[in-house]
Coordinates of all heavy atoms in Angstrom, one line a residue:
I356 N -17.2 -17.6 -2.1 CA -17.1 -17.6 -0.7 C -15.6 -17.8 -0.3 O -15.1 -17.2 0.6 CB -17.9 -18.7 -0.1 CG1 -19.4 -18.5 -0.4 CG2 -17.8 -18.7 1.4 CD1 -20.0 -17.2 0.0
A357 N -14.9 -18.6 -1.1 CA -13.5 -18.8 -0.8 C -12.7 -17.5 -1.0 O -11.8 -17.2 -0.2 CB -12.9 -19.9 -1.8
S358 N -13.0 -16.7 -2.0 CA -12.3 -15.4 -2.2 C -12.6 -14.5 -1.1 O -11.7 -13.7 -0.6 CB -12.7 -14.8 -3.6 OG -14.1 -14.4 -3.6
I359 N -13.9 -14.5 -0.6 CA -14.2 -13.6 0.5 C -13.5 -14.1 1.8 O -13.0 -13.2 2.6 CB -15.7 -13.6 0.7 CG1 -16.4 -12.9 -0.5 CG2 -16.1 -12.8 2.0 CD1 -17.9 -13.0 -0.4
G360 N -13.3 -15.4 1.9 CA -12.6 -15.9 3.1 C -11.1 -15.5 3.0 O -10.6 -15.1 4.1
M361 N -10.5 -15.5 1.9 CA -9.1 -15.0 1.7 C -9.0 -13.5 2.1 O -8.1 -13.1 2.7 CB -8.6 -15.2 0.3 CG -8.4 -16.7 -0.1 SD -7.8 -16.8 -1.8 CE -7.5 -18.6 -1.9
F362 N -10.0 -12.8 1.6 CA -10.1 -11.3 1.9 C -10.1 -11.0 3.4 O -9.4 -10.2 3.9 CB -11.3 -10.7 1.1 CG -11.8 -9.4 1.6 CD1 -11.0 -8.3 1.5 CD2 -13.0 -9.3 2.2 CE1 -11.4 -7.0 1.9 CE2 -13.5 -8.0 2.7 CZ -12.7 -6.9 2.5
I363 N -11.0 -11.7 4.1 CA -11.2 -11.5 5.5 C -9.9 -12.0 6.3 O -9.5 -11.4 7.2 CB -12.4 -12.2 6.0 CG1 -13.7 -11.6 5.4 CG2 -12.5 -12.2 7.6 CD1 -15.0 -12.3 5.8
S364 N -9.3 -13.1 5.8 CA -8.1 -13.6 6.5 C -7.0 -12.6 6.3 O -6.2 -12.4 7.3 CB -7.7 -15.0 5.8 OG -8.7 -15.9 6.0
A365 N -6.8 -12.1 5.1 CA -5.8 -11.1 4.9 C -6.0 -9.8 5.8 O -5.1 -9.2 6.3 CB -5.7 -10.7 3.4
A366 N -7.3 -9.4 5.9 CA -7.6 -8.3 6.8 C -7.2 -8.5 8.2 O -6.6 -7.7 8.9 CB -9.1 -7.9 6.6
L367 N -7.6 -9.7 8.8 CA -7.3 -10.0 10.2 C -5.8 -10.1 10.4 O -5.3 -9.6 11.4 CB -8.0 -11.3 10.6 CG -9.5 -11.3 10.6 CD1 -10.1 -12.6 10.9 CD2 -10.0 -10.2 11.6
L368 N -5.1 -10.7 9.4 CA -3.6 -10.9 9.6 C -2.9 -9.5 9.6 O -1.9 -9.4 10.2 CB -3.1 -11.8 8.5 CG -1.6 -12.1 8.6 CD1 -1.2 -12.8 9.9 CD2 -1.2 -13.0 7.4
H369 N -3.5 -8.6 8.9 CA -2.9 -7.3 8.7 C -2.8 -6.5 10.1 O -1.9 -5.6 10.2 CB -3.6 -6.4 7.7 CG -2.8 -5.3 7.1 ND1 -1.6 -5.5 6.5 CD2 -3.0 -4.0 7.0 CE1 -1.1 -4.4 6.1 NE2 -1.9 -3.4 6.4
F370 N -3.6 -6.9 11.0 CA -3.5 -6.2 12.3 C -2.2 -6.6 13.0 O -1.7 -5.9 13.8 CB -4.7 -6.6 13.2 CG -6.0 -5.9 12.9 CD1 -7.0 -6.5 12.2 CD2 -6.1 -4.6 13.3 CE1 -8.2 -5.8 11.9 CE2 -7.3 -3.9 13.0 CZ -8.3 -4.5 12.3
G371 N -1.7 -7.8 12.7 CA -0.4 -8.3 13.2 C 0.8 -7.9 12.4 O 1.8 -7.5 12.9
I372 N 0.6 -8.0 11.1 CA 1.7 -7.7 10.1 C 1.3 -6.4 9.4 O 0.6 -6.4 8.4 CB 2.0 -8.8 9.1 CG1 2.3 -10.1 9.9 CG2 3.1 -8.4 8.2 CD1 2.5 -11.3 8.9
S373 N 1.7 -5.2 9.9 CA 1.3 -4.0 9.4 C 1.9 -3.7 8.0 O 1.4 -2.8 7.3 CB 1.6 -2.8 10.3 OG 3.0 -2.8 10.6
S374 N 2.9 -4.4 7.6 CA 3.5 -4.2 6.3 C 2.7 -5.0 5.3 O 2.7 -6.3 5.3 CB 5.0 -4.7 6.3 OG 5.5 -4.8 5.0
G375 N 2.2 -4.3 4.3 CA 1.4 -5.0 3.2 C 2.3 -5.9 2.4 O 1.9 -7.0 2.0
S376 N 3.5 -5.4 2.1 CA 4.5 -6.2 1.3 C 4.9 -7.5 2.0 O 5.0 -8.5 1.4 CB 5.7 -5.4 0.9 OG 6.3 -4.8 2.0
G377 N 5.1 -7.3 3.3 CA 5.5 -8.5 4.1 C 4.4 -9.5 4.2 O 4.6 -10.7 4.0
E378 N 3.1 -9.0 4.3 CA 2.0 -10.0 4.4 C 1.8 -10.6 3.0 O 1.5 -11.8 3.0 CB 0.7 -9.2 4.8 CG -0.5 -10.1 4.9 CD -1.7 -9.3 5.4 OE1 -1.5 -8.1 5.9 OE2 -2.8 -9.9 5.3
S379 N 1.9 -9.9 1.9 CA 1.8 -10.5 0.6 C 2.8 -11.6 0.4 O 2.5 -12.7 -0.1 CB 1.9 -9.4 -0.5 OG 0.8 -8.5 -0.4
A380 N 4.1 -11.3 0.8 CA 5.1 -12.3 0.6 C 4.8 -13.6 1.4 O 5.3 -14.7 1.1 CB 6.5 -11.7 1.0
L381 N 4.1 -13.4 2.5 CA 3.8 -14.6 3.4 C 2.6 -15.3 2.8 O 2.6 -16.6 2.8 CB 3.4 -14.1 4.8 CG 3.0 -15.1 5.8 CD1 4.1 -16.1 6.1 CD2 2.6 -14.4 7.1
L382 N 1.6 -14.6 2.3 CA 0.3 -15.3 2.0 C 0.3 -15.8 0.5 O -0.3 -16.9 0.3 CB -0.9 -14.3 2.1 CG -1.3 -13.9 3.6 CD1 -2.4 -13.0 3.6 CD2 -1.7 -15.2 4.3
I383 N 0.9 -15.1 -0.4 CA 0.7 -15.4 -1.8 C 1.2 -16.8 -2.1 O 0.6 -17.6 -2.9 CB 1.4 -14.4 -2.7 CG1 0.7 -13.0 -2.6 CG2 1.4 -14.8 -4.2 CD1 -0.8 -13.0 -2.9
P384 N 2.4 -17.3 -1.6 CA 2.8 -18.7 -1.9 C 1.8 -19.7 -1.4 O 1.8 -20.8 -1.9 CB 4.1 -18.8 -1.1 CG 4.6 -17.4 -1.0 CD 3.4 -16.5 -0.8
I385 N 1.0 -19.4 -0.4 CA 0.0 -20.3 0.1 C -1.3 -20.2 -0.7 O -1.9 -21.1 -1.1 CB -0.3 -20.1 1.6 CG1 1.0 -20.3 2.4 CG2 -1.4 -21.0 2.1 CD1 0.8 -20.0 3.9
F386 N -1.7 -18.9 -0.9 CA -3.0 -18.7 -1.6 C -3.0 -19.0 -3.1 O -4.0 -19.3 -3.6 CB -3.4 -17.2 -1.4 CG -4.0 -16.9 -0.1 CD1 -4.1 -17.8 0.9 CD2 -4.5 -15.6 0.2 CE1 -4.7 -17.6 2.1 CE2 -5.1 -15.3 1.4 CZ -5.2 -16.3 2.4
S387 N -1.8 -18.9 -3.7 CA -1.8 -19.2 -5.2 C -2.2 -20.6 -5.5 O -3.1 -20.8 -6.3 CB -0.4 -18.8 -5.7 OG -0.1 -17.5 -5.8
P388 N -1.5 -21.6 -5.0 CA -1.9 -23.0 -5.3 C -3.3 -23.3 -4.7 O -4.1 -24.1 -5.3 CB -0.8 -23.8 -4.6 CG -0.2 -23.0 -3.6 CD -0.3 -21.6 -4.1
L389 N -3.7 -22.7 -3.6 CA -5.0 -22.9 -3.0 C -6.1 -22.4 -4.0 O -7.1 -23.0 -4.2 CB -5.1 -22.2 -1.7 CG -6.5 -22.2 -1.0 CD1 -6.8 -23.7 -0.7 CD2 -6.5 -21.4 0.3
G390 N -5.8 -21.2 -4.5 CA -6.8 -20.6 -5.5 C -6.9 -21.5 -6.7 O -7.9 -21.7 -7.3
D391 N -5.7 -22.0 -7.2 CA -5.7 -22.9 -8.3 C -6.6 -24.1 -8.1 O -7.4 -24.5 -9.0 CB -4.3 -23.4 -8.7 CG -3.4 -22.3 -9.1 OD1 -3.9 -21.2 -9.4 OD2 -2.1 -22.5 -9.0
N392 N -6.5 -24.7 -6.9 CA -7.3 -25.9 -6.6 C -8.8 -25.6 -6.4 O -9.6 -26.5 -6.6 CB -6.8 -26.5 -5.3 CG -5.6 -27.4 -5.5 OD1 -5.4 -27.9 -6.6 ND2 -4.7 -27.4 -4.5
L393 N -9.1 -24.3 -6.0 CA -10.5 -24.0 -5.8 C -11.2 -23.3 -7.0 O -12.3 -22.9 -6.9 CB -10.6 -23.0 -4.6 CG -10.1 -23.6 -3.2 CD1 -10.2 -22.5 -2.2 CD2 -11.0 -24.8 -2.8
G394 N -10.4 -23.2 -8.1 CA -11.0 -22.6 -9.3 C -11.0 -21.1 -9.3 O -11.8 -20.5 -10.1
L395 N -10.2 -20.5 -8.5 CA -10.1 -19.0 -8.5 C -9.0 -18.6 -9.4 O -7.9 -19.2 -9.4 CB -9.8 -18.5 -7.1 CG -10.9 -18.5 -6.0 CD1 -10.4 -18.1 -4.7 CD2 -12.1 -17.7 -6.4
T396 N -9.2 -17.5 -10.1 CA -8.1 -16.9 -10.9 C -7.1 -16.2 -10.0 O -7.5 -15.8 -8.9 CB -8.6 -15.9 -11.9 OG1 -9.1 -14.7 -11.2 CG2 -9.7 -16.4 -12.8
R397 N -5.9 -16.2 -10.4 CA -4.9 -15.6 -9.5 C -5.1 -14.0 -9.4 O -4.7 -13.5 -8.4 CB -3.5 -15.9 -10.0 CG -3.1 -17.3 -9.9 CD -1.7 -17.6 -10.0 NE -1.4 -19.0 -9.8 CZ -0.2 -19.5 -9.8 NH1 0.9 -18.8 -10.0 NH2 0.0 -20.8 -9.7
Q398 N -5.7 -13.4 -10.4 CA -6.0 -12.0 -10.2 C -7.0 -11.8 -9.1 O -6.8 -10.8 -8.3 CB -6.6 -11.5 -11.6 CG -6.6 -10.0 -11.7 CD -5.2 -9.4 -11.9 OE1 -4.6 -9.0 -11.0 NE2 -4.7 -9.5 -13.2
V399 N -8.0 -12.6 -9.0 CA -9.0 -12.5 -7.9 C -8.3 -12.7 -6.6 O -8.5 -12.0 -5.6 CB -10.1 -13.5 -8.1 CG1 -11.0 -13.5 -6.8 CG2 -11.0 -13.1 -9.3
M400 N -7.4 -13.8 -6.5 CA -6.7 -14.1 -5.3 C -5.8 -12.9 -4.9 O -5.8 -12.6 -3.7 CB -5.9 -15.4 -5.5 CG -5.1 -15.8 -4.3 SD -3.4 -15.0 -4.3 CE -2.7 -15.5 -5.8
V401 N -5.1 -12.3 -5.8 CA -4.3 -11.2 -5.5 C -5.1 -10.0 -4.9 O -4.7 -9.4 -3.9 CB -3.5 -10.7 -6.8 CG1 -3.0 -9.3 -6.6 CG2 -2.3 -11.7 -7.0
Q402 N -6.2 -9.7 -5.6 CA -7.0 -8.6 -5.1 C -7.7 -8.9 -3.8 O -7.9 -7.9 -3.0 CB -8.1 -8.3 -6.1 CG -8.7 -6.9 -6.0 CD -7.6 -5.8 -6.2 OE1 -6.7 -5.9 -7.0 NE2 -7.7 -4.8 -5.3
S403 N -8.0 -10.1 -3.5 CA -8.5 -10.4 -2.1 C -7.5 -10.1 -1.0 O -7.9 -9.5 0.0 CB -8.9 -11.9 -2.0 OG -7.8 -12.7 -2.1
V404 N -6.2 -10.3 -1.3 CA -5.2 -10.0 -0.3 C -5.0 -8.5 -0.3 O -4.9 -7.9 0.8 CB -3.9 -10.7 -0.7 CG1 -2.7 -10.2 0.2 CG2 -4.0 -12.2 -0.6
L405 N -4.9 -7.8 -1.4 CA -4.7 -6.4 -1.4 C -5.8 -5.6 -0.7 O -5.6 -4.7 0.0 CB -4.6 -5.9 -2.9 CG -3.3 -6.3 -3.6 CD1 -3.4 -5.9 -5.1 CD2 -2.1 -5.7 -3.0
L406 N -7.1 -6.0 -1.0 CA -8.2 -5.3 -0.4 C -8.3 -5.6 1.1 O -8.6 -4.7 1.9 CB -9.5 -5.7 -1.0 CG -9.7 -5.2 -2.5 CD1 -11.0 -5.8 -3.1 CD2 -9.8 -3.7 -2.5
G407 N -7.9 -6.8 1.5 CA -7.9 -7.2 2.9 C -6.9 -6.3 3.7 O -7.2 -5.8 4.8
E408 N -5.7 -6.2 3.1 CA -4.7 -5.3 3.7 C -5.2 -3.8 3.7 O -5.0 -3.1 4.7 CB -3.4 -5.4 3.0 CG -2.8 -6.8 3.0 CD -1.6 -6.9 2.0 OE1 -1.4 -6.0 1.2 OE2 -1.0 -8.0 2.0
G409 N -5.8 -3.4 2.6 CA -6.1 -2.0 2.4 C -7.1 -1.5 3.4 O -6.9 -0.4 4.0
I410 N -8.3 -2.2 3.6 CA -9.3 -1.6 4.4 C -8.9 -1.5 5.9 O -9.5 -0.8 6.7 CB -10.6 -2.3 4.3 CG1 -10.5 -3.8 4.8 CG2 -11.1 -2.4 2.9 CD1 -11.9 -4.5 5.0
V411 N -7.9 -2.3 6.3 CA -7.4 -2.3 7.7 C -6.5 -1.2 7.9 O -6.3 -0.7 9.1 CB -6.8 -3.7 8.0 CG1 -6.1 -3.6 9.4 CG2 -7.9 -4.7 8.1
N412 N -5.8 -0.7 6.9 CA -4.7 0.3 7.1 C -5.2 1.5 7.9 O -4.4 2.0 8.7 CB -4.2 0.8 5.7 CG -3.2 -0.1 5.1 OD1 -2.4 -0.7 5.7 ND2 -3.3 -0.2 3.7
C413 N -6.4 2.0 7.6 CA -6.9 3.2 8.3 C -7.4 3.0 9.7 O -7.7 4.0 10.4 CB -8.1 3.8 7.5 SG -7.6 4.3 5.8
I414 N -7.4 1.8 10.2 CA -7.8 1.6 11.6 C -6.9 0.7 12.3 O -7.2 0.1 13.4 CB -9.3 1.0 11.7 CG1 -9.3 -0.3 10.8 CG2 -10.3 2.0 11.2 CD1 -10.7 -1.0 11.0
N415 N -5.7 0.5 11.8 CA -4.7 -0.5 12.4 C -3.9 0.2 13.4 O -3.0 1.0 13.1 CB -3.8 -1.0 11.2 CG -3.0 -2.2 11.7 OD1 -3.0 -2.6 12.9 ND2 -2.2 -2.8 10.8

Side-chain angles (χ1 to χ4, degrees):
I356 302 300
S358 67
I359 295 173
M361 290 180 175
F362 161 65
I363 295 175
S364 298
L367 293 175
L368 184 60
H369 201 55
F370 282 104
I372 304 176
S373 58
S374 166
S376 55
E378 183 177 346
S379 294
L381 176 64
L382 287 180
I383 297 303
I385 299 174
F386 279 5
S387 290
L389 177 61
D391 294 344
N392 281 331
L393 296 176
L395 289 173
T396 65
R397 293 199 177 180
Q398 197 72 262
V399 171
M400 180 272 301
V401 160
Q402 199 60 40
S403 68
V404 173
L405 290 173
L406 289 174
E408 297 168 354
I410 65 169
V411 168
N412 279 326
C413 295
I414 55 172
N415 189 359

